[in-house]
Amino acid sequence: MIETERLIFRKFTLDDLPLLIEQRSDPDVNRYLGGTKLQNPEALAKRIRFYISCYDSHGFGSCAMLWKPTGEVIGAAGLQPLEDTGEIEIGYSIIKKFWGLGIGTEAARGWLDYGFNTAGLDRIVAVAQTEHTASRHIMEKLGMRYEKNESHYGIECAFYSISKDEYFSKEHLTQ
């Protein structure tokens, strides 16, 4: 669907389910994704179907994230509806081997650009478990502003947002 400097994003298919289950079975990866309550084979089978349904209903959805140098699937990222809110959220997850390389920021920036420039969105939100400082740092780095704490996916989350005008007025785009 989109590309960034180091990443390619493609739509998930049901064939990706075993890899998604494998990647999200790592306790360090699923820790901030609801743990095994939300990252188990049954829940992920439903989740991947949700991702796929979003492509038809919204023209976008969470996608498989591929590392350009090798073609390896290293996680997922994209835009999707945030459960029963009417909002579109940006989300990302990355396997541990690729942590600390700026991939979360690169992926999120690519999807924000897509959301505002291609999908025509006026506002994008993000949620992260309140104690997930790395994810919250990415949101803040990209100019998203903290609004409140509230429950999403059965987890207490920090809720962030950014409007199209705010995003394009931020100095971070020139960095």
Side-chain angles (χ1 to χ4, degrees):
M1 287 198 69
I2 71 169
E3 282 189 37
T4 65
E5 182 181 342
R6 301 177 294 169
L7 306 168
I8 297 170
F9 297 89
R10 65 160 173 78
K11 294 177 180 180
F12 275 115
T13 69
L14 291 178
D15 292 339
D16 292 312
L17 181 58
L19 180 59
L20 189 64
I21 291 168
E22 177 187 334
Q23 290 182 342
R24 294 200 181 165
S25 67
D26 181 328
D28 291 330
V29 172
N30 72 38
R31 175 178 174 198
Y32 294 117
L33 298 173
T36 56
K37 177 182 174 189
L38 298 179
Q39 305 302 320
N40 62 67
E42 183 180 315
L44 288 169
K46 289 179 186 174
R47 197 71 186 158
I48 200 167
R49 284 176 174 79
F50 169 73
Y51 295 156
I52 293 167
S53 74
C54 289
Y55 308 143
D56 290 331
S57 64
H58 289 79
F60 51 77
S62 190
C63 291
M65 181 187 329
L66 286 73
W67 183 241
K68 274 186 183 179
T70 63
E72 174 184 5
V73 176
I74 63 167
L79 300 168
Q80 64 192 24
L82 177 60
E83 56 173 17
D84 303 323
T85 63
E87 301 269 20
I88 298 298
E89 76 165 315
I90 189 165
Y92 38 84
S93 65
I94 303 159
I95 61 173
K96 196 167 26 180
K97 171 179 158 185
F98 286 87
W99 288 2
L101 301 176
I103 291 169
T105 302
E106 181 177 333
R109 181 176 285 122
W111 282 104
L112 287 172
D113 288 344
Y114 175 88
F116 292 132
N117 287 321
T118 304
L121 300 174
D122 291 320
R123 173 177 152 102
I124 297 173
V125 302
V127 297
Q129 280 186 249
T130 52
E131 64 275 8
H132 192 354
T133 54
S135 189
R136 294 181 70 174
H137 177 71
I138 289 170
M139 296 172 199
E140 291 164 2
K141 190 176 185 179
L142 294 173
M144 299 186 91
R145 64 181 167 19
Y146 169 81
E147 286 189 13
K148 58 190 169 187
N149 280 3
E150 63 184 16
S151 181
H152 289 284
Y153 308 108
I155 303 164
E156 184 67 18
C157 292
F159 182 97
Y160 285 76
S161 71
I162 191 166
S163 70
K164 182 176 186 174
D165 291 341
E166 289 168 331
Y167 184 69
F168 288 113
S169 71
K170 298 291 179 189
E171 291 180 11
H172 71 273
L173 289 175
T174 59
Q175 296 176 359

